[in-house]
Amino acid sequence: MAKHEIRSQLPGMFYRKPSPEEPNYKEIGDTVEVGDVIGLIEVMKTFTPVSVDTAGKIISFEVDDADAIMPGQVLAVIEG
Amino acid sequence: MPINVKTAGFATTIQDLGRPGYYHLGIPMGGAMDRFAMRCANLLVGNDEGAAGLECVFMGPELEITEDVIVAVTGADLPPKIDGEVLESWTAIKVKAGQTLSFDYLRSGARGYIAISGGIDTPPALGSRSTYPIGALGGVDGRAVQAGDVLPIGSDKGTVKADQSIPSNLRREPGAPAELRVMPGLYWHRVTKAAGQKFFDETWKVASEADRMGYRFQGGSPLEFVDREPPFGAGSDPSNITDACYPYGSIQVPGGTEPIILHRDAVSGGGYFMLGTVISADMDLIGQLQPNVEIKFVKVNMHTALSARQERAAMLENVRQALA
């Protein structure tokens, strides 16, 4: 079981849910497929979905909801 | 032989040096936000400085190259990759037909400029290939680049020495905090002396609303205005004026709270007062500011502004000489 880091290409604000009233896209322990969305990054008035490029199980989120992030920063770790 | 766009990146647009001459009609100059970087990229690949390339923001596109070309990436520190191998920016790179240009994670700055020998050969609109999405002008059918686009490349390739690089002392990136030099403007008398002083003393941060139209800043104190009788048509908000022209680089402060610097795709007029104008020599730097980075506004006079412009012109001339 290899660990795989999901990194951000963009700087901005990271959100774990599609809108403030909705639940998180994914929780720790959830199984994800390639292309599944785990969060949104807001920058320049645009929300860009963060999708995973590896199938597996989410073992951690490295940033909190509404944290400011930088390019290359690890957002989540997947074991797959 | 065209370039195939596999993925577009974020807000990637075709830009050249813009379409000056129509701002009085409400059509902005457009063109690269970091014009120096755009010129450098073109010089490296043997193009005219005004040839069209790609401006990408924070992350690069993935491009399939279908003929042998020279490529250069300048501006932000956004390392180019050819078939996965990370290469140097600010350097002429030979790319063979069939290879893929992609990008590593952004290390600093905000906007990368990609020039390809021959230049991007989409149809010009009002004398420029620059993309102005709101006006549906230039670019690919008036819009930003999308996955699946096929970008035509011009056949007029200059002669270049491959592997040439722009020396690091001739590159430019914002310091930390970045300093943007400002000349106080016609409406400076509208704010109190203390508020004017604070504007220059305090540190500001780039807000997330920062794009080709304007860059918004937060973190400084709200402005205090001098009392007045509102002029005709201005309305009661003290930051309003009778509608006037907005210069490129002008700083408006709607409601007196968050300054906005107008940039290449700005609106040409409106009813907000302007504190002053960022000098032309520092406009390129704004294009390289990421959200949340700190900046200071520095008060200068016309003499300093003109000297700074001459210094920038000399720097560009040095680049031309270094690559000649």
Side-chain angles (χ1 to χ4, degrees):
Chain A
M1 299 287 271
K3 282 183 187 167
H4 184 80
E5 292 170 337
I6 306 299
R7 290 172 188 267
S8 176
Q9 297 266 8
L10 294 171
M13 295 284 272
F14 178 71
Y15 296 103
R16 285 188 53 190
K17 43 186 126 183
S19 70
E21 299 78 35
E22 290 176 79
N24 289 340
Y25 282 105
K26 296 288 176 191
E27 299 294 345
I28 292 168
D30 283 0
T31 303
V32 289
E33 299 296 330
V34 174
D36 278 359
V37 174
I38 60 164
L40 294 175
I41 293 169
E42 181 194 10
V43 67
M44 280 170 50
K45 306 171 200 164
T46 305
F47 290 87
T48 305
V50 179
S51 51
V52 301
D53 52 3
T54 309
K57 195 167 88 172
I58 297 175
I59 58 172
S60 68
F61 279 93
E62 300 295 316
V63 289
D64 290 327
D65 187 55
D67 270 0
I69 53 160
M70 300 300 286
Q73 190 170 342
V74 178
L75 305 176
V77 181
I78 291 175
E79 195 170 61
Chain B
M1 295 286 275
I3 283 179
N4 298 322
V5 180
K6 311 299 279 182
T7 60
F10 180 77
T12 302
T13 53
I14 296 171
Q15 299 293 342
D16 50 26
L17 296 177
R19 53 176 68 79
Y22 304 95
Y23 203 34
H24 65 296
L25 302 174
I27 297 171
M29 284 102 24
M33 287 193 64
D34 184 346
R35 292 153 61 79
F36 176 73
M38 183 85 251
R39 289 175 187 273
C40 286
N42 275 324
L43 285 166
L44 279 166
V45 301
N47 289 348
D48 286 344
E49 290 170 29
L54 293 173
E55 176 183 271
C56 56
V57 190
F58 310 133
M59 60 186 283
E62 196 179 348
L63 305 172
E64 186 187 26
I65 312 287
T66 64
E67 66 178 303
D68 293 2
V69 290
I70 309 277
V71 164
V73 179
T74 61
D77 191 358
L78 181 69
K81 297 197 284 188
I82 299 294
D83 285 348
E85 184 193 352
V86 179
L87 299 171
E88 293 292 314
S89 51
W90 297 88
T91 300
I93 302 168
K94 267 188 186 170
V95 184
K96 290 200 170 60
Q99 291 191 308
T100 297
L101 171 65
S102 63
F103 292 86
D104 206 0
Y105 296 106
L106 178 70
R107 291 179 189 150
S108 66
R111 286 177 175 76
Y113 291 86
I114 308 166
I116 299 130
S117 54
I120 295 177
D121 197 21
T122 44
L126 300 176
S128 164
R129 296 183 171 87
S130 288
T131 316
Y132 176 50
I134 292 177
L137 282 176
V140 181
D141 301 329
R143 59 161 169 81
V145 170
Q146 291 174 358
D149 281 349
V150 175
L151 307 178
I153 300 302
S155 54
D156 186 17
K157 296 184 172 50
T159 49
V160 280
K161 298 174 207 154
D163 305 328
Q164 273 210 115
S165 181
I166 291 177
S168 54
N169 63 327
L170 296 182
R171 304 174 192 176
R172 194 186 189 199
E173 57 179 67
E179 290 191 348
L180 301 177
R181 288 169 288 184
V182 172
M183 271 188 63
L186 289 176
Y187 302 93
W188 184 254
H189 66 280
R190 288 290 306 118
V191 298
T192 65
K193 206 167 178 181
Q197 190 60 44
K198 269 189 194 166
F199 176 78
F200 287 115
D201 287 346
E202 292 178 339
T203 299
W204 297 83
K205 267 169 88 171
V206 177
S208 70
E209 301 92 347
D211 59 23
R212 292 185 46 81
M213 283 175 275
Y215 255 64
R216 186 185 284 260
F217 297 85
Q218 297 172 329
S221 303
L223 295 174
E224 286 160 18
F225 290 87
V226 173
D227 286 338
R228 67 161 183 195
E229 192 74 30
F232 176 76
S236 57
D237 190 301
S239 70
N240 287 358
I241 55 170
T242 306
D243 279 12
C245 303
Y246 287 160
Y248 161 64
S250 62
I251 307 169
Q252 53 182 245
V253 195
T257 55
E258 296 180 345
I260 300 169
I261 302 174
L262 297 189
H263 220 292
R264 302 302 303 182
D265 286 355
V267 294
S268 57
Y272 289 121
F273 95 111
M274 292 153 275
L275 264 183
T277 305
V278 175
I279 68 172
S280 60
D282 288 353
M283 289 301 289
D284 285 349
L285 287 180
I286 297 170
Q288 296 300 351
L289 297 176
Q290 283 185 17
N292 297 316
V293 302
E294 293 187 336
I295 70 120
K296 297 271 285 192
F297 294 108
V298 178
K299 187 178 178 177
V300 297
N301 58 25
M302 181 64 92
H303 176 76
T304 307
L306 291 176
S307 310
R309 182 183 290 194
Q310 280 173 358
E311 280 167 27
R312 293 312 307 159
M315 187 72 103
L316 179 60
E317 193 51 38
N318 287 342
V319 171
R320 291 182 186 128
Q321 296 300 326
L323 298 178

